[in-house]
Amino acid sequence: MRDFERLRKCYGNVYSLFIGPRAAVVINGAQAMKEAMITKAADFAGRPQDIFNFNCHLWLLLSKRMVLADYGASWKEHRRFALMTLRNFGLGKQSMEQRILGEMQYTMETLKRSIVMFHNAASNIICQVLFGTRYDYDDNFIKVVVQCFKENSKIANGAWAMVSHNMFVSIRCYAVFFIALEVTKTCKKLATCLITEHKETRVPGQPRDFLDCYLDELDKRSDDCSSFCEDRLIMFVLDLHFPGTDTTSNTLLTGFLYLMTYPHIHGRCQQEINQVLEKKDHASYDDRRNMPYTQAVIHEVQRIANTVPLSVYHCTTKDTKLMGYFLPKRTLIIQNLNSVLNEEAQWKFPN
């Protein structure tokens, strides 16, 4: 990340570089990021489709994923379905808050035993929406899933994820992506088992969770040329499960680390919480309005955590311009989110 910052200071907020033989454009700063990802969102909504081409087995698995899917009819169709279904199951509503509060009871019981609990808690909340099930922290399913997600996160955020598809593929690189392939296969087997169970127990038209809703949608679209299919469902639920688990748990870990490092901030948060809650057992989302300091600390933790500093790579969907520079169609785009979260013009104390 220091090299990206050094290049930004030298060449500005939009510059190009080569990763092996592949040219890429790096976007820095709030102004350039806003123009690309908000003002011209459709122009920059593509995903590079050749990242894993050197490994056809991995590509066949990942090509069904929606996070890596290119901008088009299939992506739009699945995004629309996911947003509608997740809202029906409580996304942004009080019912989701109750799931979170319920899971916190289990988290508090295991607080002194294991640091992995944050991954377990985040995963379990998502499991309840996707699969209609909560798993004990000692359950083999949750253990395997969390371990797989952690392995894939290490690979995705490591140096080989960036350079391997553009440079000479070494033996070590193949070894890294062989691990990714095996981990993805393991997750796919677990998801397939859950789908099979749902097929056997579901009542059409009476969905219990996200899987049931998708299976209902498959029944409706059985005769058309829709992009909905069972293979895509498997990767779809993994796409929803993995990013939410990894980013949420790592943000929580960062928050706990900083609160332990700065006990005076911890104490001030606790004092404000006690004053607002009085005799209540737990805080609710509505209480945030009366906890400005605690809410500010949460936002600062999210800024500092910066869990995915380069985001997921994008590419341009057509010839376009950014900050006056011409970018041809299919240009690889790297978003340096670190530059936004530490930009001196945006933050009083960025560092």
Side-chain angles (χ1 to χ4, degrees):
M1 297 308 300
R2 286 192 294 268
D3 289 335
F4 278 108
E5 180 62 18
R6 179 175 56 82
L7 291 170
R8 184 189 69 81
K9 289 181 178 179
C10 184
Y11 299 107
N13 284 332
V14 179
Y15 61 82
S16 61
L17 51 78
F18 280 86
I19 305 174
R22 178 74 179 267
V25 171
V26 183
I27 304 176
N28 303 268
Q31 184 180 358
M33 202 74 69
K34 182 179 179 180
E35 182 180 336
M37 299 302 153
I38 299 178
T39 307
K40 298 181 178 179
D43 293 2
F44 290 82
R47 297 287 194 199
Q49 296 299 294
D50 56 350
I51 290 180
F52 299 112
N53 275 354
F54 74 90
N55 188 320
C56 61
H57 297 293
L58 189 58
W59 172 247
L60 286 172
L61 276 174
L62 299 185
S63 62
K64 297 292 185 180
R65 294 183 63 174
M66 297 314 298
V67 165
L68 300 178
D70 203 7
Y71 183 72
S74 176
W75 180 85
K76 292 178 182 177
E77 194 173 37
H78 278 78
R79 181 178 184 274
R80 191 182 306 114
F81 171 81
L83 288 174
M84 178 187 69
T85 304
L86 292 174
R87 287 190 184 114
N88 289 340
F89 282 103
L91 182 66
K93 299 178 181 178
Q94 194 170 10
S95 57
M96 181 62 75
E97 180 179 324
Q98 295 306 312
R99 288 191 178 98
I100 295 171
L101 291 172
E103 191 61 36
M104 286 304 99
Q105 298 300 316
Y106 296 97
T107 303
M108 290 166 63
E109 291 173 8
T110 59
L111 189 59
K112 297 180 180 180
R113 288 192 294 157
S114 173
I115 203 166
V116 182
M117 66 181 178
F118 291 119
H119 286 78
N120 293 343
S123 179
N124 249 330
I125 293 167
I126 298 171
C127 280
Q128 292 176 56
V129 176
L130 296 181
F131 315 130
T133 304
R134 187 201 170 272
Y135 297 91
D136 290 335
Y137 290 172
D138 293 328
D139 189 275
N140 188 62
F141 176 88
I142 205 77
K143 285 182 176 180
V144 173
V145 164
V146 166
Q147 186 58 38
C148 286
F149 288 172
K150 290 170 71 178
E151 287 293 333
N152 265 352
S153 180
K154 289 177 184 177
I155 295 170
N157 293 314
W160 287 108
M162 176 177 288
V163 303
S164 61
H165 58 283
N166 287 311
M167 301 179 69
F168 176 77
V169 184
S170 68
I171 294 174
R172 182 179 177 185
C173 178
Y174 268 119
V176 168
F177 279 91
F178 177 77
I179 295 172
L181 176 62
E182 292 304 307
V183 166
T184 303
K185 284 182 177 178
T186 300
C187 291
K188 187 176 180 181
K189 286 179 182 178
L190 292 172
T192 301
C193 289
L194 287 170
I195 292 171
T196 301
E197 290 176 8
H198 274 65
K199 284 182 176 179
E200 294 172 352
T201 59
R202 65 186 277 256
V203 177
Q206 299 180 25
R208 302 160 294 182
D209 48 43
F210 186 90
L211 280 185
D212 278 355
C213 287
Y214 197 101
L215 293 172
D216 281 349
E217 196 70 17
L218 276 179
D219 291 343
K220 297 176 185 176
R221 298 168 178 257
S222 59
D223 297 328
D224 62 21
C225 299
S226 168
S227 62
F228 280 64
C229 64
E230 193 168 313
D231 283 345
R232 183 151 277 146
L233 169 59
I234 294 170
M235 302 311 295
F236 199 15
V237 294
L238 293 179
D239 271 348
L240 293 170
H241 199 176
F242 166 55
T245 296
D246 195 59
T247 54
T248 302
S249 57
N250 287 332
T251 301
L252 288 170
L253 286 169
T254 302
F256 269 69
L257 173 64
Y258 273 87
L259 289 175
M260 288 188 292
T261 306
Y262 301 100
H264 63 287
I265 294 178
H266 177 201
R268 187 171 170 183
C269 287
Q270 188 65 61
Q271 183 181 15
E272 184 180 66
I273 291 170
N274 291 340
Q275 289 174 347
V276 172
L277 294 188
E278 294 181 342
K279 296 182 180 181
K280 289 171 60 179
D281 291 334
H282 56 257
S284 68
Y285 186 61
D286 290 337
D287 289 323
R288 75 191 188 283
R289 299 185 182 90
N290 301 318
M291 300 180 184
Y293 185 81
T294 302
Q295 190 171 12
V297 170
I298 292 172
H299 288 164
E300 183 67 358
V301 166
Q302 291 175 317
R303 183 183 75 86
I304 293 172
N306 192 12
T307 54
V308 191
L310 297 180
S311 187
V312 180
Y313 295 168
H314 284 243
C315 69
T316 52
T317 57
K318 64 179 183 179
D319 292 350
T320 187
K321 285 188 176 183
L322 177 64
M323 303 290 285
Y325 295 99
F326 173 75
L327 278 66
K329 182 179 179 179
R330 309 310 300 174
T331 299
L332 177 63
I333 302 296
I334 300 175
Q335 304 167 75
N336 183 8
L337 300 182
N338 191 64
S339 69
V340 178
L341 298 175
N342 292 281
E343 190 170 14
E344 292 183 358
Q346 301 295 323
W347 310 96
K348 188 175 182 179
F349 302 108
N351 300 310

